[in-house]
Amino acid sequence: ETAAKRRWALFIRFFMGVQTLVNFAEIIGMICIFRKAESRAFKSRLNCRLHHPCYYSVHEIAWCFPSVYSAIIRRDVFEKLGRHMTTLVFGHQSSAEHDMGPGHPERPERILAVQQALDADRFKDLERREAPQATVDQIARVHHRNYVTKLLDAVPEEGRVQIDPDTSMCPESGEAALRASGAIVAAIDAIAAGEANSAFCAVRPPGHHAEPSRGMGFCLFNNVAIGVEHARKAHNLERVAVVDFDVHHGNGTQAAFWSEPNVLFASSH
């Protein structure tokens, strides 16, 4: 019995080691993709920011994995191009007013914790901007227009409306959802205009579970997917990569771009 337990323990350790190597290889692969894009941009003297359109996802990396972020978007590349590395922060009070009820895991305290972290001295020089509301036309690049109008019409004047077993809306949810998507759109516009090299969008509700025809899993509109389509349609970016760091699968983002060969979706779940 003891020998059998030892064999099982060795097998489990071996399996965990293999899984760790696979995860490491995936991250290295993502880094290589972005570094290759950087090299191409530098050599051709093009605007490097246009080769990094997935701003929201990249800054999720910056927030959770600063060493990976520094490898993906290296400061020296921008310095060689003669640019100063600047970052914008987009947010709005409505993100903290969207409330799905007592005890819900996706609660206002999450964005309040992010805002508190951003108040630290090391972030004091970042420029803060108010997130605008996305237009229905911008959202409809990803979501079915009928879904968008029905969802916004369903925002209650009081109380809560249930979207699915995990997702509900309160009176402030409509504005919060529009500004969460609008933050990503505004961030991409600002970077494309040369106003900054990067942006961090401190907004909620989240979005990567929202599919083109329905919201789910705490998500109403797929903010990142809306940003991707805005980058492609409004700024004519040919290829976009979305790097999704989360313990859950970004099913909505995958569904939005499943048949799109020029959008890469990489999820660490």
Side-chain angles (χ1 to χ4, degrees), residues 11 48 70 111 114 124 147 164 227 229 248 265:
F11 173 77
C48 189
S70 63
I111 196 68
V114 172
K124 66 181 180 180
Y147 164 71
D164 75 355
E229 284 302 86
H248 300 121
F265 175 63

Side-chain angles (χ1 to χ4, degrees), residues 84-96:
H84 176 64
M85 187 70 160
T86 57
T87 299
L88 300 176
V89 177
F90 287 85
H92 191 267
Q93 180 59 32
S94 60
S95 289

